[in-house]
Amino acid sequence: MDHLTVVRHPLVQHKLTLMRRKDTPTAVFRQLLREISQLLAYEVTRELPMREVEIETPVAPMRSPELDGRKLALVSILRAGNGLLDGILELVPSARVGFVGLYRDEDTLEPVQYYFKVPDHLDDRLVIAVDPMLATGNSSAAAVDLLKRQGATDIRFLCLLAAPEGVDRMRQAHPDVPIVTAAVDERLNEKGYIVPGLGDAGDRMFGTK
Ligand code: URA
């Protein structure tokens, strides 16, 4: 896969525009994120592990491919990652799931870890880390560091929106980790928000402020 894939499908772009609107209510925002996560999942799961199984159609026996969901680990970077996670899990319910808890120190913009729980044998899995906003890239790079330390070697990063700064940071820190996103925006502002962006994804998803 390329290091950066921007999914320009009209359905993705339309839903993203609705999500960006500041007046979009929380419940609609959450629903859109769920829908868009499934469309993005289509792109990020292109190389999912498969296995051949023996089946019988009404006409004849055959060997046919099916997903080896146990070989997939979805890792949500809390808390906003859960908005992407839920939709993808509906598509691949047998995937194993992990969580990385990182918050951003508002002064330094550096990530601080508060939770880490991932499936065993990450070295044997395709790991898809999900976080809607790739902003400075500091937490994303830190989360991927943790996953690699835990043995993961085949990692993809899925986000909804990225800033050029975040993409560059990830390219430098983890050139082996392809990024899939719906858009790369203009820049970060002085508070580390993506411009024009959509605001704080966690707040918009959960109705907090
Ligand atoms: N996190 C968000 O939720 N939004 C941004 O714009 C940047 C980081």
Side-chain angles (χ1 to χ4, degrees):
M1 270 184 103
D2 293 340
H3 185 257
L4 178 68
T5 302
V6 179
V7 181
R8 299 183 201 279
H9 192 286
L11 288 175
V12 170
Q13 295 304 317
H14 176 78
K15 288 177 195 299
L16 177 57
T17 298
L18 295 175
M19 294 181 77
R20 288 183 189 272
R21 287 177 184 266
K22 64 180 182 189
D23 297 329
T24 298
T26 300
V28 178
F29 186 93
R30 227 180 3 242
Q31 176 61 26
L32 286 164
L33 184 57
R34 190 183 206 87
E35 292 168 5
I36 220 170
S37 71
Q38 300 194 332
L39 296 166
L40 294 173
Y42 181 82
E43 192 61 45
V44 80
T45 54
R46 271 185 193 284
E47 292 157 32
L48 268 193
M50 309 287 294
R51 61 178 170 218
E52 291 263 311
V53 289
E54 291 283 351
I55 61 163
E56 286 197 26
T57 78
V59 180
M62 70 176 291
R63 286 181 68 76
S64 195
E66 69 173 21
L67 285 177
D68 191 352
R70 285 169 302 180
K71 293 270 184 196
L72 174 66
L74 300 171
V75 177
S76 168
I77 302 174
L78 296 172
R79 67 182 161 151
N82 284 9
L84 286 175
L85 173 71
D86 292 346
I88 305 174
L89 261 183
E90 277 178 16
L91 294 180
V92 197
S94 55
R96 301 309 195 238
V97 180
F99 296 93
V100 179
L102 295 168
Y103 69 85
R104 189 162 62 151
D105 185 301
E106 291 301 330
D107 296 324
T108 63
L109 302 186
E110 289 298 321
V112 183
Q113 182 191 330
Y114 65 89
Y115 190 73
F116 187 77
K117 182 90 180 167
V118 293
D120 290 341
H121 309 299
L122 282 193
D123 52 323
D124 197 26
R125 300 180 193 276
L126 170 63
V127 178
I128 300 178
V130 299
D131 188 352
M133 309 299 271
L134 176 55
T136 61
N138 289 339
S139 1
S140 312
V144 171
D145 273 336
L146 292 169
L147 294 172
K148 285 184 173 174
R149 243 178 273 158
Q150 205 64 24
T153 54
D154 191 5
I155 307 174
R156 313 263 184 283
F157 188 85
L158 177 66
C159 59
L160 176 64
L161 265 187
E165 294 88 335
V167 173
D168 288 347
R169 172 90 172 87
M170 282 291 278
R171 187 178 282 120
Q172 276 164 20
H174 301 292
D176 56 318
V177 175
I179 299 167
V180 174
T181 185
V184 179
D185 275 8
E186 282 167 28
R187 62 186 169 86
L188 292 178
N189 69 13
E190 64 291 344
K191 290 187 173 156
Y193 279 90
I194 298 176
V195 181
L198 49 72
D200 186 298
D203 282 346
R204 296 210 54 195
M205 196 182 305
F206 298 116
T208 48
K209 192 73 193 108

